[in-house]
């Protein structure tokens, strides 16, 4: 087999580096409210996670990332933090977190925690002090307070919009306005204030001292704001991941944000080479994303261009190639993610039903065979679809309220996952679940799928075992190979080829010695069906 075009050269970092564990790790995202309930109150917690760690070890992942578990009024599912150095009673105690970290390490798993530096809860002691203090005071300078416009300051300072709908400004009794790019209960911090820098360095050290292996950084591209506060000319909803995110936007992806991550990297390095930072940075093009993973900044950044790519060979190849080339320029590896707690589950996104499930199986083999680090969102390995018919009475996402009950929000991808074939919450916990699970999820439960060698869970377990044990799937190289139209074919290492058919007709496979894994059965004459992927060993 030959390379397809001159642009299909090997895509590998051009520099020398230490082989950090994260470069090809598989990291499993736990949305804490919906993974496992240990105390029977209907909400997932730390003890629930601890009870299911053996499942995660046997699944074959390398690390877990847990969404925020800090004290919070829960205006945004815990992403409104009132205290960065403690655990919300809903999820357990600080001792439970310490025990979970220790148990994960005993089982060979690393543990990342979620850090929310763009904003705090309005219940944070800092913000409460700011409300009591005068305009211009040190307490107010920790946040973004501005005078309003108009003769009496009754108009918001800018036209900036909240991601959750409506204006991004709320007025306080003395007439000033404070910025919240998300909900009013989430006031934005002022990262032009040195005190904010020092506070978060202290928070990082607090958790590093307790043994965490790293941090997923929420809204990593949003910390720094243009102090001139220009209007953006928009009146509708702000977009966290839309076309208005451009380099040096007024509050997204400003160059000065990288100074923060250089500080954080310097601190992480004092704890050894294995502690990492992961940026949630909704930025484009890939070259902007790569800036977050330069050698003196963070270790990973989520590759949302891959998540958003159309289901076509052209779109996926373009994203894969540009992502690998961009990160290679800074001696980093990219990440691959199909779903998370903020987006529609990809089984539904890829067409739902049998079509969505078939494409999700194919996407799993594509993702797990790419060089770099892969993220698995809880329940993805079970093939869970989006729940689109939740009763309005249970919807908890702030988007539902802020949109005037017109946009349902993200609750459909946050429904607690099923562990057993029966019971009031399919094994999630003794007290039911905070969001209702569909009856059909009995057949998608861990228990049901563990007994089925053709299940999605069986496919993930096998794929992760091969990825872990086969040297060809380690390292940073990828070589594109010639193949039929609307297929992806590439080689990893020596002789391990991934072939993906995204066209309209079955295609012939390259000559090969061994079939390692297939997302579905081949045709009777041995061809690769539509929406199917295989891993083969070639000669």
């Amino acid at each position: 087999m030959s390379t397809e075009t001159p642009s299909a050269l090997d895509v590998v970092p051009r520099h020398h580096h230490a082989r950090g564990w994260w470069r090809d790790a598989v990291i499993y995202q736990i949305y804490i409210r919906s993974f496992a309930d240990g105390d029977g109150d209907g909400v997932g917690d730390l003890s629930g996670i601890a009870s299911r760690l053996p499942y995660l070890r046997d699944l074959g992942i390398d690390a877990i990332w847990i969404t925020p578990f800090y004290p919070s009024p829960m205006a945004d599912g815990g992403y409104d933090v009132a205290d960065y150095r403690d655990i919300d009673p809903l999820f357990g105690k600080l001792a439970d977190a310490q025990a979970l970290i220790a148990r994960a390490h005993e089982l060979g798993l690393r543990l990342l925690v979620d850090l929310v530096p763009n904003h705090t809860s309005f219940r944070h002691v800092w913000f409460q002090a700011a409300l009591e203090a005068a305009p211009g005071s040190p307490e107010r300078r920790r946040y973004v307070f501005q005078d309003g416009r108009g003769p009496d300051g009754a108009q918001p300072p800018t036209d900036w919009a909240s991601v959750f709908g409506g204006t991004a400004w709320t007025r306080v009794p003395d007439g000033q306005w404070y910025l919240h790019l998300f909900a009013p209960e989430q006031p934005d911090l002022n990262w032009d204030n040195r005190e904010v820098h020092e506070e978060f360095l202290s928070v990082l050290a607090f958790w590093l001292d307790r043994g965490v292996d790293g941090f997923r950084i929420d809204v990593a591209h949003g910390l720094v704001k243009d102090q001139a506060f220009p209007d953006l000319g928009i009146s509708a909803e702000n977009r966290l991941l839309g076309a208005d995110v451009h380099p040096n936007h007024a509050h997204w992806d400003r160059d000065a944000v990288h100074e923060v991550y250089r500080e954080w990297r310097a601190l992480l390095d004092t704890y050894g080479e294995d502690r990492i930072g992961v940026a949630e940075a909704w930025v484009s093009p890939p070259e902007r994303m790569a800036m977050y993973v330069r050698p003196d900044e963070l270790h990973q950044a989520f590759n949302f261009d891959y998540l958003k790519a159309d289901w076509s060979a052209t779109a996926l190849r373009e994203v894969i190639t540009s992502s690998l080339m961009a990160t290679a320029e800074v001696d980093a590896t990219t990440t691959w993610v199909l779903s998370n707690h903020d987006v529609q589950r990809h089984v539904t996104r890829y067409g739902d039903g049998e079509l969505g499930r078939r494409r999700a199986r194919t996407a799993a083999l594509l993702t797990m065979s790419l060089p770099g680090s892969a993220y698995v969102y809880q329940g993805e390995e079970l093939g869970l679809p989006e729940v689109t018919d939740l009763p309005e009475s249970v919807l908890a996402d702030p988007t539902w309220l802020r949109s005037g009950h017109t946009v349902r929000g993200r609750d459909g991808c946050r429904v607690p996952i099923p562990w057993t074939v029966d019971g009031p919450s399919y094994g999630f916990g003794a007290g039911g679940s905070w969001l209702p699970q569909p009856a059909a999820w009995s057949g998608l439960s861990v228990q049901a799928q563990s007994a089925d060698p053709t299940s999605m869970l069986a496919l993930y377990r096998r794929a992760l075992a091969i990825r872990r044990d086969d040297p060809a799937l380690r390292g940073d190289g990828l070589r594109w190979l010639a193949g039929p139209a609307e297929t992806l074919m590439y080689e990893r290492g020596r002789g391990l080829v991934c072939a993906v058919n995204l066209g309209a007709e079955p295609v012939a496979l390259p000559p090969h010695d061994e079939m390692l894994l297939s997302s579905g059965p081949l045709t009777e004459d041995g061809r690769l069906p539509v929406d199917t992927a295989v891993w083969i060993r070639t000669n």
Side-chain angles (χ1 to χ4, degrees):
M1 299 175 116
S2 61
T3 53
E4 190 172 356
T5 68
S7 65
L9 300 174
D10 295 346
V11 183
V12 295
R14 61 184 61 182
H15 310 293
H16 298 289
H17 57 74
R19 188 79 201 169
W21 67 268
W22 63 89
R23 293 187 74 96
D24 46 23
V26 178
I27 300 174
Y28 187 95
Q29 180 193 354
I30 292 176
Y31 188 71
I32 188 169
R33 299 175 66 91
S34 302
F35 184 67
D37 175 16
D39 62 11
D41 65 355
V43 178
D45 48 39
L46 294 173
S47 63
I49 295 173
S51 72
R52 298 297 186 178
L53 286 178
Y55 163 80
L56 295 174
R57 174 201 59 197
D58 296 343
L59 180 61
I61 54 98
D62 301 294
I64 59 176
W65 147 39
I66 306 173
T67 56
F69 44 50
Y70 313 104
S72 168
M74 302 296 165
D76 183 23
Y79 282 92
D80 46 321
V81 179
D83 183 351
Y84 291 88
R85 296 177 180 84
D86 205 351
I87 306 296
D88 194 285
L90 187 66
F91 303 131
K93 300 177 180 178
L94 194 55
D96 296 320
Q98 194 74 65
L100 178 61
I101 295 166
R103 180 60 177 151
H105 290 167
E106 288 174 4
L107 294 176
L109 301 173
R110 300 178 189 269
L111 189 147
L112 311 182
V113 299
D114 220 316
L115 191 66
V116 188
N118 179 71
H119 47 262
T120 71
S121 166
F122 74 129
R123 297 297 186 195
H124 193 284
V125 292
W126 272 15
F127 193 68
Q128 291 300 303
L131 292 178
E132 294 175 1
S137 63
E139 292 83 0
R140 288 224 172 160
R141 287 197 294 270
R142 294 166 174 162
Y143 293 89
V144 183
F145 277 86
Q146 290 288 300
D147 293 329
R149 294 191 290 197
D152 56 357
Q155 299 300 315
T158 72
D159 64 358
W160 298 0
S162 163
V163 169
F164 294 147
T167 179
W169 298 93
T170 290
R171 200 177 195 191
V172 299
D174 62 29
Q176 280 205 309
W177 299 73
Y178 69 87
L179 177 67
H180 51 86
L181 293 181
F182 294 86
E185 296 88 352
Q186 296 168 288
D188 279 42
L189 287 160
N190 174 19
W191 278 88
D192 280 46
N193 186 334
R194 187 63 207 170
E195 189 178 3
V196 174
H197 288 247
E198 297 298 334
E199 170 65 5
F200 275 87
L201 289 169
S202 174
V203 169
L204 289 167
F206 177 89
W207 289 105
L208 290 167
D209 289 342
R210 279 150 184 79
V212 303
D213 298 287
F215 304 88
R216 178 266 190 186
I217 301 157
D218 185 60
V219 198
H221 63 308
L223 275 56
V224 177
K225 281 73 177 179
D226 186 344
Q227 295 299 301
F229 296 101
D231 278 342
L232 296 174
I234 57 174
S235 57
E237 166 186 346
N238 188 4
R239 293 190 181 96
L240 180 65
L241 48 98
D244 61 348
V245 178
H246 56 77
N248 283 310
H249 179 280
H251 52 70
W252 297 136
D253 194 31
R254 297 187 62 75
D255 287 343
V257 77
H258 297 285
E259 298 173 12
V260 176
Y261 301 129
R262 292 188 185 97
E263 287 185 337
W264 289 14
R265 179 59 179 265
L267 175 63
L268 287 165
D269 286 349
T270 66
Y271 285 83
E273 297 179 350
D274 287 347
R275 312 291 186 97
I276 71 168
V278 183
E280 183 209 25
W282 293 89
V283 300
S284 287
E287 290 75 16
R288 292 297 295 187
M289 181 267 291
M291 293 175 68
Y292 290 79
V293 292
R294 288 177 289 194
D296 61 343
E297 293 193 42
L298 301 173
H299 302 75
Q300 291 185 342
F302 290 139
N303 185 354
F304 294 119
D305 285 345
Y306 180 71
L307 181 152
K308 295 185 292 180
D310 292 337
W311 187 253
S312 77
T314 300
L316 286 165
R317 176 168 173 156
E318 180 179 344
V319 167
I320 292 166
T321 300
S322 61
S323 299
L324 290 172
M325 292 181 68
T327 51
E329 287 291 329
V330 293
D331 191 28
T333 52
T334 191
T335 64
W336 312 103
V337 57
L338 295 168
S339 287
N340 62 36
H341 67 291
D342 284 329
V343 300
Q344 187 180 64
R345 283 189 176 274
H346 62 273
V347 166
T348 300
R349 209 169 64 241
Y350 288 153
D352 215 4
E354 181 55 37
L355 175 63
R357 286 189 292 272
R358 186 168 69 250
R359 288 179 170 178
R361 292 174 67 93
T362 300
L365 294 201
L366 169 63
T367 300
M368 296 303 167
S369 63
L370 291 171
S373 178
Y375 279 76
V376 174
Y377 178 47
Q378 63 177 48
E380 169 185 329
E381 77 278 15
L382 304 177
L384 298 183
E386 187 85 358
V387 181
T388 57
D389 58 354
L390 287 170
E392 292 184 358
S393 61
V394 305
L395 296 180
D397 192 314
T399 302
W400 175 242
L401 176 64
R402 296 278 291 174
S403 67
H405 295 176
T406 60
V407 180
R408 293 177 67 87
R410 301 161 293 176
D411 291 314
C413 65
R414 299 174 176 185
V415 175
I417 67 174
W419 293 93
T420 59
V421 296
D422 52 22
S425 65
Y426 302 113
F428 169 69
S433 62
W434 69 284
L435 289 174
Q437 301 147 303
W441 280 21
S442 170
L444 297 177
S445 66
V446 172
Q447 182 183 16
Q449 296 200 41
S450 292
D452 179 2
T454 68
S455 68
M456 184 80 79
L457 178 58
L459 180 73
Y460 267 76
R461 285 173 170 167
R462 181 64 179 143
L464 291 174
I466 296 172
R467 179 185 169 104
R468 179 184 64 243
D469 297 336
D470 197 315
L473 290 176
R474 293 194 293 273
D476 300 329
L478 177 150
R479 186 164 68 98
W480 289 109
L481 305 174
E486 282 305 303
T487 65
L488 298 173
M489 293 192 184
Y490 52 88
E491 184 179 27
R492 294 292 315 279
R494 287 193 174 188
L496 194 155
V497 170
C498 179
V500 185
N501 182 7
L502 297 106
E505 301 291 338
V507 298
L509 284 171
H512 57 279
D513 300 324
E514 181 183 5
M515 173 71 67
L516 296 176
L517 190 60
S518 175
S519 66
L522 302 184
T523 63
E524 290 185 0
D525 57 356
R527 290 184 297 166
L528 185 64
V530 174
D531 292 331
T532 306
V534 294
W535 295 354
I536 55 179
R537 189 90 62 191
T538 70
N539 53 14

